[in-house]
Amino acid sequence: MIYQGESIRVDFIEPGFAELQFDAKGSVNKFDQATLEEFSEALTKLQNTDDLRGVIVTSSKSTFIVGADITEFLTLFSDQEKTRSWVAKASRVFDQLEDLPVPTVGAVKGFALGGGCEALLACDYRVADTTATIGLPEVKLGLIPGFGGTMRLPRVIGPDNALEWITTGKNNKAEDAMKVGAIDAIVEPDNLTKAALNLAKAAAAGEQDWKAKRQPKLDPLKANDTELMMTLVTAKGLIAAKAGKHYPAPHKALEAIENGAREHREGALKAENNAFFDLTQTEACQAQVGIFLADQAVKSKSKKYAKAATKEIKTAGVLGAGIMGGGIAYQSASKGIPAVMKDIKQDALDLGMKEAGKILKKGVERGKVNNEKMIKILSSITPTLLNDAVKDVDIVVEAVVENPKVKGSVLAEIEGVISDDAILTSNTSTISITELAKNLKRPEKFCGMHFFNPVHKMPLVEIIRGEKTSDDTVNAVVAYALKLGKTPIVVNDCPGFLVNRVLFPYLAGFAGMVDEGVDFVGIDKVMEKQFGWPMGPAYLSDVVGIDTADHCTVVMEAGFPTRMKRDESSAIAKLAAAERYGQKNGKGFYVYGTDKKGKPTKEADPATYELLGCEQGKKLDADEVIARCMIPMVNEVVRCLEEDIVGSAAEADMALLYGLGFPPFRGGPFRYLETLGMDNFIQLADKYAHLGEIYQVTDGMREMAKAGKSYFDTTSAK
């Protein structure tokens, strides 16, 4: 044995040829700080091993190396001196692999991402099996490759291909990686180790010029000035258009490649080290790393629920067709769970099937779905007018009109049809599950299952636990949501649950400015361009439906009569009374239509200004607009955590990211609060406290700030 560590072992596989194998104790290999230390030790041993003729780098797992240990990042990055030292030292470990005095071959299977890809790039040759996926996804964490990726990849596959890989963070299948020269051969999985060894032998025997293969990675980039300039100019334009100002990582990746292009390896690595360090200190990096960690926490919690499920969902029923019902039925059928779609009107059933067909047609046009699969999915949806058609399903998702009396009646009726063991759920967006359960004989078998529109695109499903909902029911519904490819987050019952409850104070903050005569178009621009929401509050209200938003204010007022009191003179109420319902009837805050080419249009309407009494062009300072919209939302999400509506700050952040499109570079409401600093947020909120209860922070937040505590430290996923 040449070397034996906790995660790495090195031994001769044949006389003269060593195998450096990553073999971590967990389910995957990753470059945590301890593994990087072992990697350096193992390479030092190899450097000093006599009679060594070649080295292959392998993994004992089904996947190669998934990257760095991201759980270490936030703590590490909080110490600037430690971060600079770590990235400089860690990146030089990969130089040790590249500098071994013998040919090296990386043997990749499964995922080789981030640091895993960079380890392969440090090898002279790369052999992949047919399962391999290779990539540098660091931009998705607000970072760039930190172990030499921005230096080596351009020299291996060319600067244009490298910029595409690095600035998009996309994963690449083995065939695509081979087309650009990132790997040298593809073999069947059973032949991977043998193929890597044979290539090392061929190189050692002089049949392959491994030194010539290695040299370009040590030298300046071999591209003439004109070619390099054109590549960089084109990339800058694409990055500016796609990433914008809120995501600095793609810009820094280009900067590192440009600054290192005319340098030898050490100079190029320094350029990468500097860019990487700069990014670790940005709010975007802190937020995006936080999202990754929160997502892992949410997924772990969901798996625990699903693992505890005693009932398997094999068939589903959807009550209420139309666009939402059709979307739910499609999602179930597309994931292999046949769905019965029941309504009382044939035209609603026709609309539901049309919705499913429309989604599939787009899939066919994009080459993601073939005709055979399309037919199979559509045939897995059974539209019906008969209650008896759902009597044998395992779960029913009620998706009828958002009215407590109608829902209560429909739920009670269908409970009498389905089996005692079947689960009943409601897709209500605001109505209390505990109140709806009062209509049922088996309330323990009932919970909320709140999908977001469009169902096939929106990843979040809120699972709402009523007072009498059993653990078995929650477990089974979480498992079903996971089968649907969704991210389920379990919340406790209250009007609006989590997502809509925190949305309404945000919209109330917006409406307050409009009531003061501020132009809603200007507010939308600030919240989209500067804060980063995909839609401003006026546009979002139109998309949700002004009538829907107005109806929900009644429900929210009943639950929170002082904080969310309904105002008949507010912008939403006035638009609803004027039957300006938003996109659904072509007029709301904006008017909607199509241009000469048939593309959708959205324009401010003079009639809206007249109706609402606001002044076109009247603006507030951008910081004030952001504060008046966001303080109420953050305050409400803190209340939800304090009241145990949501189990952790991580779950709250992911719910708003996946359910509302909270700007990812801000990381979610709790990460945004932490970035601002709790003391600063409280000071800002106190400035606007006179505007009403939604601007007044909780006593709990004041205590947290005084104690210097973090919501992430005290509310990890339960």
Side-chain angles (χ1 to χ4, degrees):
M1 183 69 70
I2 298 173
Y3 177 83
Q4 178 67 62
E6 293 293 318
S7 299
I8 296 173
R9 59 184 180 83
V10 185
D11 203 358
F12 283 109
I13 191 170
E14 279 190 15
F17 294 89
E19 178 182 26
L20 187 157
Q21 185 170 81
F22 287 88
D23 186 19
K25 288 184 177 179
S27 59
V28 295
N29 296 313
K30 55 187 174 182
F31 280 121
D32 54 23
Q33 293 182 63
T35 300
L36 281 166
E37 288 285 348
E38 285 191 8
F39 195 26
S40 180
E41 292 169 6
L43 291 167
T44 299
K45 288 282 188 181
L46 281 168
Q47 181 76 30
N48 297 317
T49 297
D50 294 332
D51 301 322
L52 187 66
R53 299 183 61 212
V55 175
I56 65 170
V57 182
T58 69
S59 165
S60 67
K61 313 291 184 185
S62 60
T63 200
F64 187 64
I65 302 169
V66 296
D69 186 354
I70 298 164
T71 62
E72 296 179 340
F73 280 7
L74 291 183
T75 302
L76 176 66
F77 296 165
S78 65
D79 185 326
Q80 292 189 17
E81 187 175 338
K82 190 175 180 181
T83 301
R84 280 192 185 276
S85 174
W86 172 80
V87 69
K89 183 180 177 182
S91 60
R92 270 60 180 186
V93 175
F94 293 75
D95 293 357
Q96 289 182 255
L97 174 57
E98 193 163 58
D99 290 341
L100 286 175
V102 295
T104 55
V105 182
V108 57
K109 56 184 174 180
F111 289 105
L113 303 177
C117 177
E118 289 170 291
L120 291 173
L121 291 171
C123 295
D124 300 318
Y125 300 93
R126 290 157 291 282
V127 179
D129 75 12
T130 52
T131 70
T133 297
I134 303 169
L136 295 168
E138 287 85 353
V139 291
K140 297 175 182 178
L141 297 173
L143 291 167
I144 62 171
F147 300 150
T150 67
M151 181 274 293
R152 292 188 178 92
L153 190 64
R155 289 156 173 79
V156 171
I157 67 174
D160 49 351
N161 290 321
L163 277 163
E164 182 184 356
W165 276 38
I166 293 170
T167 61
T168 63
K170 72 171 186 173
N171 292 342
N172 304 274
K173 295 295 184 183
E175 287 185 3
D176 294 324
M178 189 168 176
K179 286 176 184 176
V180 295
I183 58 175
D184 300 290
I186 302 173
V187 298
E188 291 300 319
D190 292 343
N191 198 37
L192 180 61
T193 301
K194 182 180 179 182
L197 182 58
N198 286 342
L199 183 52
K201 286 179 177 180
E207 297 170 20
Q208 300 280 343
D209 191 347
W210 61 273
K211 291 182 180 179
K213 193 90 157 57
R214 179 182 294 184
Q215 193 60 41
K217 294 185 290 175
L218 309 178
D219 294 337
L221 189 61
K222 288 184 178 6
N224 65 54
D225 290 342
T226 303
E227 179 188 356
L228 182 60
M229 182 189 71
M230 290 299 294
T231 295
L232 293 172
V233 168
T234 301
K236 282 178 183 177
L238 291 171
I239 291 168
K242 290 187 177 181
K245 65 180 181 180
H246 297 305
Y247 295 91
H251 302 278
K252 278 288 182 182
L254 187 142
E255 178 186 306
I257 291 171
E258 184 174 15
N259 290 345
R262 295 308 181 211
E263 301 285 342
H264 287 82
R265 184 178 72 184
E266 183 58 27
L269 275 178
K270 284 182 179 178
E272 177 181 281
N273 291 169
N274 291 335
F276 184 93
F277 171 78
D278 289 346
L279 287 169
T280 66
Q281 304 306 301
T282 63
E283 292 177 1
C285 173
Q286 300 284 322
Q288 288 173 268
V289 170
I291 289 173
F292 177 87
L293 298 176
D295 189 47
Q296 294 300 301
V298 167
K299 285 177 179 175
S300 176
K301 190 170 183 179
S302 295
K303 287 176 183 176
K304 288 178 182 177
Y305 280 118
K307 190 175 181 181
T310 57
K311 179 179 178 62
E312 184 180 1
I313 306 299
K314 296 179 180 178
T315 56
V318 180
L319 299 183
I323 292 174
M324 178 61 82
I328 297 170
Y330 160 80
Q331 192 66 26
S332 192
S334 70
K335 298 300 181 180
I337 302 171
V340 177
M341 185 169 60
K342 193 268 175 187
D343 205 287
I344 58 173
K345 295 180 180 178
Q346 185 61 48
D347 57 352
L349 292 174
D350 294 341
L351 180 59
M353 292 304 295
K354 184 179 178 181
E355 177 67 13
K358 185 170 71 174
I359 297 167
L360 285 164
K361 186 178 178 182
K362 286 183 180 178
V364 171
E365 290 171 355
R366 293 172 183 169
K368 294 183 177 181
V369 179
N370 58 34
N371 286 327
E372 184 181 349
K373 186 175 181 181
M374 179 177 179
I375 293 168
K376 183 179 179 181
I377 291 172
L378 286 175
S379 64
S380 294
I381 303 173
T382 305
T384 182
L385 297 168
L386 305 174
N387 279 348
D388 279 354
V390 300
K391 65 184 177 65
D392 295 323
V393 300
D394 297 312
I395 190 169
V396 171
V397 182
E398 168 272 307
V400 301
V401 63
E402 188 74 355
N403 180 296
K405 289 184 178 179
V406 174
K407 284 185 180 291
S409 174
V410 169
L411 288 165
E413 181 182 4
I414 215 69
E415 185 188 36
V417 175
I418 59 178
S419 70
D420 291 349
D421 186 48
I423 291 171
L424 193 53
T425 73
S426 175
N427 182 48
T428 177
S429 55
T430 55
I431 303 167
S432 167
I433 294 300
T434 299
E435 288 300 310
L436 287 175
K438 291 178 180 178
N439 298 280
L440 303 175
K441 295 177 181 177
R442 298 188 295 277
E444 72 281 359
K445 290 284 185 182
F446 175 65
C447 71
M449 192 175 190
H450 178 209
F451 291 85
F452 292 77
N453 206 16
V455 175
H456 67 291
K457 288 184 178 179
M458 298 296 283
L460 178 68
V461 174
E462 279 184 304
I463 311 296
I464 305 101
R465 186 194 295 269
E467 284 182 8
K468 295 184 178 180
T469 305
S470 71
D471 288 344
D472 284 345
T473 295
V474 170
N475 294 340
V477 177
V478 168
Y480 175 54
L482 288 173
K483 283 185 177 180
L484 298 186
K486 300 301 181 184
T487 297
I489 292 179
V490 179
V491 299
N492 286 318
D493 189 28
C494 70
F497 319 127
L498 173 63
V499 174
N500 281 333
R501 174 174 162 179
V502 305
L503 175 62
F504 276 91
Y506 167 82
L507 293 177
F510 154 70
M513 288 183 280
V514 176
D515 293 344
E516 293 171 15
V518 179
D519 188 348
F520 58 88
V521 174
I523 297 172
D524 270 6
K525 285 180 179 177
V526 169
M527 297 311 294
E528 290 170 5
K529 302 294 184 185
Q530 293 187 239
F531 192 81
W533 283 104
M535 302 178 195
Y539 186 26
L540 176 64
S541 298
D542 278 356
V543 171
V544 169
I546 298 294
D547 53 337
T548 301
D550 183 54
H551 171 74
C552 289
T553 61
V554 177
V555 178
M556 302 309 290
E557 181 186 44
F560 312 103
T562 59
R563 193 162 66 250
M564 300 190 200
K565 186 172 179 60
R566 176 179 166 80
D567 183 358
E568 293 286 353
S569 64
S570 74
I572 297 291
K574 284 181 178 178
L575 289 170
E579 297 184 353
R580 298 180 68 93
Y581 297 148
Q583 279 191 337
K584 64 178 66 177
N585 71 344
K587 55 183 181 179
F589 281 99
Y590 299 92
V591 289
Y592 300 88
T594 54
D595 62 17
K596 293 178 180 179
K597 295 181 179 179
K599 293 183 178 179
T601 59
K602 171 175 74 80
E603 297 176 359
D605 186 1
T608 308
Y609 291 104
E610 185 177 348
L611 176 66
L612 301 181
C614 58
E615 183 180 337
Q616 190 168 4
K618 183 177 180 180
K619 296 180 180 180
L620 291 176
D621 178 76
D623 288 341
E624 181 171 355
V625 171
I626 291 169
R628 289 185 64 175
C629 284
M630 293 309 302
I631 290 169
M633 174 176 275
V634 173
N635 279 339
E636 200 64 34
V637 81
V638 167
R639 289 187 181 95
C640 286
L641 185 63
E642 291 180 351
E643 295 169 17
D644 201 31
I645 299 303
V646 64
S648 69
E651 288 166 282
D653 277 358
M654 295 313 299
L656 267 65
L657 281 157
Y658 285 158
L660 290 179
F662 198 99
F665 68 91
R666 297 193 186 275
F670 278 106
R671 189 64 61 187
Y672 171 60
L673 174 60
E674 297 262 324
T675 301
L676 285 177
M678 221 176 297
D679 288 328
N680 293 333
F681 178 84
I682 291 170
Q683 186 177 359
L684 185 64
D686 287 347
K687 177 182 173 183
Y688 294 100
H690 65 281
L691 292 175
E693 193 177 341
I694 59 174
Y695 288 93
Q696 295 162 14
V697 302
T698 68
D699 292 340
M701 189 194 293
R702 293 186 192 277
E703 290 170 10
M704 287 280 288
K706 190 175 181 180
K709 293 182 178 178
S710 164
Y711 283 107
F712 292 99
D713 292 339
T714 59
T715 56
S716 59
K718 300 171 186 175

